[in-house]
């Protein structure tokens, strides 16, 4: 069964810290992996998309890496700010022929709180 | 450039009723997917449409259905509502199912069944 797991489930850090969120997936045959942010009661905002052939992607203070062989991705947030407080979701599109069409498999998310 | 638009934003329905939710994808996007988000189950895939054809379906009962129109707008319908159908329903669009740019999500429709 293709599953995505995120640890930790929750994380509370003081402002300014660098932090790492982890995502693991059970099948290395993936099409791509996407990190999202979700604020309470809102939709998903795409942060970074890593294609299967890539090892990492960067956007501002965010860096995401992908290691297919170990089934892992990490999201690195540098110099965290209170505005970074949100739920971070990892989503994988597995390569499974027709059963993968349009389907992202999500982890349960990491709830991040950055306090001043 | 307008994002993915979902209407309505909030709905309250009574058990046993039916409901229709709407999703307008980003202009030019032809693939639309639907997800259900609940505190207990997280985000679960409902179905995906491309060029008016349902190409993939998640593990949901037949009460959940959808369709896509020629302008790529999509609707999902839930019949005989149950209390457990209360959730945030999210729609995502992509230019094609194999797009290199991933999926863009709407703000969702919050459905409460009482």
């Amino acid at each position: 069964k293709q599953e995505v797991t995120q640890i930790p489930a929750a994380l509370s850090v003081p402002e300014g810290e660098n932090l790492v969120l982890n995502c693991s997936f059970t099948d290395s045959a993936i099409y791509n992996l996407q990190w999202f942010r979700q604020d309470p009661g809102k939709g998903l905002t795409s942060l970074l998309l890593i294609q299967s052939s890539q090892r990492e992607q960067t956007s501002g203070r965010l860096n995401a890496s992908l290691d297919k062989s170990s089934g892992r991705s990490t999201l690195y947030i540098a110099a965290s700010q209170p505005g970074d407080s949100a739920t971070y979701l990892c989503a994988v599109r597995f390569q499974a022929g027709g059963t993968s069409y349009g389907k992202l498999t999500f982890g349960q998310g990491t709830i991040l709180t950055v306090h001043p | 450039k307008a994002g993915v638009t979902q209407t309505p934003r909030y709905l309250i329905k009574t058990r046993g009723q039916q409901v229709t939710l709407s999703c307008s994808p980003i202009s030019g996007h032809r693939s639309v997917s639907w997800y259900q988000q609940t505190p207990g189950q997280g985000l679960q895939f409902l179905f995906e449409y491309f060029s008016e054809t349902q190409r993939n379906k998640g593990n949901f009962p037949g009460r959940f259905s959808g369709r896509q129109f020629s302008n790529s707008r999509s609707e999902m319908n839930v019949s005989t509502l149950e209390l457990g159908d209360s959730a945030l329903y999210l729609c995502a669009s992509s230019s094609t199912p194999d797009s290199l740019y991933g999926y863009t999500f709407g703000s969702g429709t919050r459905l409460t069944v009482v």
Side-chain angles (χ1 to χ4, degrees):
Chain A
K1 184 180 179 183
Q2 294 165 332
E3 295 181 337
V4 178
T5 303
Q6 290 185 248
I7 55 171
L11 184 62
S12 180
V13 300
E15 182 177 6
E17 272 204 9
N18 302 324
L19 52 97
V20 174
L21 307 182
N22 296 290
C23 171
S24 61
F25 43 94
T26 54
D27 187 345
S28 62
I30 71 169
Y31 189 74
N32 57 38
L33 183 148
Q34 201 165 355
W35 282 93
F36 293 92
R37 167 188 172 138
Q38 185 175 33
D39 293 291
K42 301 294 179 64
L44 307 183
T45 300
S46 180
L47 298 173
L48 290 165
L49 169 69
I50 309 177
Q51 301 296 339
S52 170
S53 59
Q54 297 175 320
R55 294 299 301 270
E56 66 176 348
Q57 282 285 342
T58 298
S59 176
R61 295 183 294 110
L62 305 179
N63 175 276
S65 66
L66 174 64
D67 184 345
K68 283 193 306 178
S69 61
S70 65
R72 293 181 181 180
S73 176
T74 60
L75 178 66
Y76 175 83
I77 303 176
S80 58
Q81 303 170 357
D84 294 331
S85 298
T87 297
Y88 289 79
L89 293 153
C90 170
V92 176
R93 180 163 170 212
F94 290 101
Q95 288 186 6
T99 63
S100 77
Y101 290 145
K103 179 181 178 181
L104 294 176
T105 301
F106 284 85
Q108 290 294 326
T110 294
I111 301 172
L112 174 64
T113 303
V114 182
H115 48 88
Chain B
K1 185 176 181 180
V4 179
T5 303
Q6 292 190 245
T7 56
R9 290 295 310 277
Y10 303 94
L11 267 177
I12 300 176
K13 289 287 187 178
T14 303
R15 194 170 43 180
Q17 288 186 314
Q18 75 165 11
V19 67
T20 299
L21 312 181
S22 178
C23 172
S24 293
I26 290 173
S27 178
H29 283 193
R30 294 190 294 151
S31 174
V32 174
S33 301
W34 289 88
Y35 293 81
Q36 181 195 66
Q37 186 177 30
T38 59
Q41 298 297 317
L43 276 148
Q44 294 186 288
F45 172 76
L46 281 158
F47 26 65
E48 185 259 358
Y49 287 87
F50 177 66
S51 294
E52 302 179 65
T53 301
Q54 184 185 91
R55 302 199 313 153
N56 200 3
K57 189 177 186 337
N59 295 323
F60 279 82
R63 300 185 297 106
F64 292 80
S65 63
R67 58 179 176 170
Q68 186 180 34
F69 302 95
S70 59
N71 62 358
S72 295
R73 189 177 70 86
S74 178
E75 289 181 346
M76 68 163 282
N77 183 275
V78 188
S79 62
T80 319
L81 284 165
E82 301 177 359
L83 296 179
D85 297 332
S86 294
L88 180 66
Y89 290 87
L90 292 164
C91 164
S93 79
S94 177
S95 55
T96 66
D98 296 330
S99 168
L100 294 177
Y101 301 102
Y103 296 89
T104 301
F105 280 76
S107 298
T109 294
R110 171 74 64 183
L111 172 65
T112 302
V113 182
V114 299

